[in-house]
Amino acid sequence: MVADLSIFEHNLVMKTDSAQNAGSTLFRARVDAAHLEKARRVLDRLGMTPGDAVNVFFAQVALRKDLPFVVTANPQRLQSEQEQAKAWDNALGEY
């Protein structure tokens, strides 16, 4: 099990000048290597690093004083594109 884990160590600061980096903290976490690789591919497409993503996540937690998504053992079924379009039309009206 430990062999499947990767140490994710990144300076959790957006790419900015060194004056803003003065308040940064080094954060280390053990993550599943396969999850990290899949996440990196998505983040690359978004132009983000794993550290950027963690910074965004922590900023949202601080802003909301909660997780920015629901954690549940009983997730709702995802909607089809048609169901989602109908829900948007019902909520916002046609545009």
Side-chain angles (χ1 to χ4, degrees), residues 66-88:
D66 201 353
L67 290 175
F69 47 81
V70 176
V71 177
T72 178
N74 299 309
Q76 294 179 354
R77 182 181 67 82
L78 295 177
Q79 293 179 329
S80 69
E81 289 181 17
Q82 293 81 15
E83 291 170 325
Q84 188 175 13
K86 185 176 180 179
W88 275 97

Side-chain angles (χ1 to χ4, degrees), residues 14-89:
M14 299 289 201
K15 295 174 184 165
T16 57
D17 65 10
S18 60
Q20 288 182 323
N21 290 343
S24 69
T25 300
L26 182 64
F27 177 84
R28 294 178 62 177
R30 188 172 296 277
V31 298
D32 181 280
H35 291 162
L36 178 59
E37 182 54 35
K38 288 177 184 177
R40 281 183 192 231
R41 287 195 295 262
V42 172
L43 293 170
D44 282 347
R45 288 196 317 262
L46 297 172
M48 296 175 71
T49 66
D52 295 336
V54 171
N55 271 317
V56 169
F57 173 73
F58 284 171
Q60 285 296 307
V61 169
L63 178 69
R64 298 166 188 255
K65 296 178 178 53
D66 201 353
L67 290 175
F69 47 81
V70 176
V71 177
T72 178
N74 299 309
Q76 294 179 354
R77 182 181 67 82
L78 295 177
Q79 293 179 329
S80 69
E81 289 181 17
Q82 293 81 15
E83 291 170 325
Q84 188 175 13
K86 185 176 180 179
W88 275 97
D89 286 343

